[in-house]
Amino acid sequence: MSEVLLDPVAIGRGLRRVAGEIAERGGVRDLALVGIRRGGEPIAERLAVLLHELEGETPLTGSIDITLYRDDAATALPNPRIGPSRIPFDVRGKRVVLVDDVLFTGRTIRAALDALLDYGRPRCIELCVLVDRGGRELPIQPDYAVRRVDVPEGRRIEVEQRDGEIWATLEMTNSITQDASR
Amino acid sequence: MSDRVAFQHRHLLGTEGLERNEITSILDAAESFFDVSRRSIRKVPTLRGKTIINLFYEPSTRTRTSFELAGKRLSADVINISVSTSSAVKGETLLDTVKNLEAMCPDVLVIRHQASGAPHYVAARTKASVINAGDGTHEHPTQALLDAFTIRRAKGKIEGLVVAICGDVLHSRVARSNAHLLRKMGATVRFAGPRTLMPPAAESLGAEIHDRLEPALEGADVVMMLRVQRERLAGTFLPSTREYSRKFGLNAARLGLAAPDAIVMHPGPMNRGVEIDPAIADGARSVILDQVEAGVAVRMAILWMLGTDARGAPNTAA
């Protein structure tokens, strides 16, 4: 059993609004969208397309893997799988928007900030998420969110692609808190 | 696809017995660490607060530096102990040395020792993870893994390749570790060298044995030259290095027998003009310096896998 939080239509509408907000705040010049692997990647790609439609210019895109930067990297997870980071541009002087699917504890974002800063010194970093579910354990807040919803701890939000469309659903049963790292 | 890599060992003592998916997971992780080493900030915080001790009873520049750099790029504290400055020269036994180091709570012990089996002996008596950085004529697993990484990057695969390993196979832990690993990954391994430098049971390593270089090089995709280990050869195995070079040295004519896109490897340090013609060592087919670069990435992957294990876990077999 699960409840749909955002269907593809709502996600399309929400991301278009967010793309507008990103453009409004600083245009597309020197803008780079960096998806946090793996959930943030497809969302960053959508935003890039939407920004192109709005502004006639495509922002830079990349992705970042945070495995090596987790605050529990040395203890909690023996041998997680690392994926490749892809930052095919110089981050120095860029306005970087970090993109993730679900914002929960904020620990992933903390790790992503450290990972990104090891590539260089961007002009500024902003944060865009599809769902902000509350439950922060660090002082981190999103600049852009498609939907904000309070979800009790232990419940899980699933963001997945089906037939090329993104769905965000809230699992109705309590499951392991695999989102606890977020 | 699992979120965990397949490699769940506590120690890395050899390539013998490593499974194919374990090898692949090390090589895959090494790709990410390879990228880290090419950025402007060549460091990740993953092993912050962990201690790695490099305990080297044999001289080594490349391997020790590579392990040291790998540990430092993972933010671990790395301490080097080499035999010339250690208490071993004052008569301390390996076990006493290890017990003393143990009291300093290292997370990983990297050991090179002239006695085959020394890292296994230590692994059974320490809470730290042990990495074999070369034990006598037995194994040198990180060398074989970095060789595999280099081959995979150059050729896109390992399966189905023909690898000629040439020279002093008898004394070579590099040859042994490579033979185990390459066979497991589906490559064909050929050994070539003088009969006096071929181990008596070389066939048991699953390799084709040749006592001349030419048939081994025929159509080979990878040519791996071994160092003539003058320190282990007390004049009994070879008439002279000149004759060795004439019969078993890799030169342009012999390399011409290999596949047109064959790569040339050497674990170092090279005896230029003995086992390999300098023009080949520095030539376009040589990936010898790629091997050195791969070494840091592969050792980062291994240190990461062993160093992030919860401490005090039961001492399961390596």
Side-chain angles (χ1 to χ4, degrees):
Chain A
M1 274 294 289
S2 61
E3 172 199 336
V4 174
L5 287 177
L6 290 167
D7 63 19
V9 174
I11 285 175
R13 194 184 296 132
L15 286 179
R16 202 165 297 119
R17 169 177 58 79
V18 163
E21 289 172 15
I22 291 172
E24 198 177 355
R25 200 184 279 199
V28 180
R29 178 173 295 269
D30 288 335
L31 174 66
L33 304 176
V34 175
I36 297 174
R37 274 180 49 89
R38 292 189 316 223
E41 273 182 307
I43 298 165
E45 282 160 25
R46 300 250 164 152
L47 279 173
V49 172
L50 291 165
L51 275 156
H52 176 80
E53 286 173 15
L54 282 174
E55 300 287 301
E57 223 181 314
T58 309
L60 298 162
T61 53
S63 61
I64 198 152
D65 186 278
I66 57 112
T67 309
L68 300 171
Y69 290 84
R70 296 172 62 110
D71 54 13
D72 55 359
T75 49
L77 280 179
N79 301 339
R81 190 180 286 273
I82 342 172
S85 290
R86 191 180 54 83
I87 306 288
F89 50 85
D90 188 349
V91 303
R92 280 177 298 179
K94 298 287 185 309
R95 171 186 172 215
V96 177
V97 177
L98 275 175
V99 181
D100 206 359
D101 51 2
V102 181
L103 176 61
F104 184 17
T105 64
R107 288 177 193 269
T108 296
I109 305 303
R110 200 280 313 155
L113 288 170
D114 279 354
L116 189 62
L117 291 169
D118 276 357
Y119 283 87
R121 185 177 187 273
R123 182 166 64 75
C124 62
I125 304 176
E126 296 164 11
L127 175 61
C128 171
V129 298
L130 195 61
V131 181
D132 173 1
R133 61 168 289 178
R136 220 75 79 237
E137 293 171 2
L138 294 175
I140 282 170
Q141 305 305 335
D143 297 278
Y144 317 97
V146 171
R147 173 144 190 214
R148 291 169 209 269
V149 54
D150 276 323
V151 176
E153 201 181 336
R155 297 280 294 282
R156 201 182 129 82
I157 293 176
E158 195 75 60
V159 176
E160 55 190 348
Q161 288 197 79
R162 289 180 223 148
D163 305 322
E165 303 278 13
I166 301 174
W167 290 77
T169 51
L170 175 62
E171 304 298 321
M172 296 307 283
T173 49
N174 277 9
S175 56
I176 49 157
T177 55
Q178 80 128 69
D179 273 347
S181 65
R182 289 185 186 277
Chain B
M1 195 169 75
S2 159
D3 277 348
R4 305 288 173 87
V5 295
F7 191 87
Q8 298 290 349
H9 298 287
R10 196 170 138 71
H11 308 292
L12 178 67
L13 302 179
T15 56
E16 186 175 13
L18 280 187
E19 293 304 325
R20 199 173 164 131
N21 62 343
E22 295 174 329
I23 295 163
T24 302
S25 69
I26 294 171
L27 302 184
D28 288 348
E31 292 285 350
S32 289
F33 290 110
F34 193 83
D35 293 342
V36 170
S37 291
R38 288 195 163 185
R39 311 192 307 211
S40 57
I41 297 179
R42 299 181 188 85
K43 204 178 185 77
V44 290
T46 320
L47 292 188
R48 207 159 56 93
K50 301 282 181 180
T51 303
I52 298 168
I53 296 182
N54 286 331
L55 182 57
F56 277 64
Y57 283 84
E58 274 188 337
S60 161
T61 307
R62 204 176 334 262
T63 305
R64 191 191 51 69
T65 311
S66 184
F67 267 111
E68 181 174 358
L69 213 46
K72 287 181 170 170
R73 286 185 181 168
L74 289 166
S75 303
D77 296 306
V78 183
I79 291 134
N80 294 307
I81 299 173
S82 59
V83 72
S84 56
T85 57
S86 84
S87 326
V89 292
K90 300 177 188 165
E92 188 173 71
T93 66
L94 175 60
L95 182 58
D96 279 333
T97 302
V98 168
K99 278 183 172 167
N100 277 278
L101 296 178
E102 179 85 19
M104 302 176 201
C105 303
D107 298 283
V108 181
L109 275 175
V110 178
I111 297 180
R112 166 166 292 190
H113 201 279
Q114 63 278 5
S116 301
H120 303 68
Y121 175 84
V122 172
R125 290 162 180 82
T126 176
K127 289 201 279 290
S129 287
V130 174
I131 299 175
N132 180 359
D135 62 329
T137 59
H138 177 231
E139 280 238 37
H140 190 354
T142 59
Q143 178 71 43
L145 285 159
L146 75 87
D147 288 342
F149 182 85
T150 307
I151 293 170
R152 200 175 75 163
R153 274 187 88 89
K155 295 282 171 197
K157 59 169 186 174
I158 298 172
E159 172 128 48
L161 297 180
V162 174
V163 182
I165 301 178
C166 314
D168 179 2
V169 178
L170 176 63
H171 296 99
S172 178
R173 52 199 178 204
V174 175
R176 228 168 296 274
S177 288
N178 261 300
H180 290 306
L181 186 151
L182 290 167
R183 276 222 316 144
K184 185 68 87 175
M185 297 307 283
T188 301
V189 178
R190 296 175 183 163
F191 284 156
R195 278 176 205 274
T196 49
L197 293 178
M198 198 57 71
E203 292 86 355
S204 69
L205 289 164
E208 298 170 14
I209 313 295
H210 299 274
D211 57 10
R212 292 194 311 120
L213 211 49
E214 289 77 6
L217 294 178
E218 192 77 51
D221 301 293
V222 177
V223 180
M224 193 181 291
M225 300 309 294
L226 300 172
R227 183 171 66 93
V228 173
Q229 305 192 38
R230 299 184 211 222
E231 76 274 22
R232 295 191 217 272
L233 305 173
T236 52
F237 296 93
L238 290 177
S240 74
T241 52
R242 243 183 84 203
E243 185 177 339
Y244 182 87
S245 175
R246 204 155 45 75
K247 283 189 171 164
F248 292 98
L250 185 66
N251 54 31
R254 289 195 173 120
L255 184 55
L257 298 169
D261 61 347
I263 54 171
V264 175
M265 307 178 77
H266 193 299
M270 279 185 281
N271 297 299
R272 285 173 177 268
V274 181
E275 69 264 7
I276 189 164
D277 183 332
I280 302 293
D282 302 328
R285 317 269 285 275
S286 167
V287 294
I288 294 171
L289 295 178
D290 298 291
Q291 289 174 269
V292 178
E293 186 179 7
V296 178
V298 166
R299 291 181 176 114
M300 284 174 83
I302 292 159
L303 287 171
W304 172 65
M305 288 173 167
L306 298 179
T308 49
D309 262 340
R311 303 255 50 83
N315 193 353
T316 53

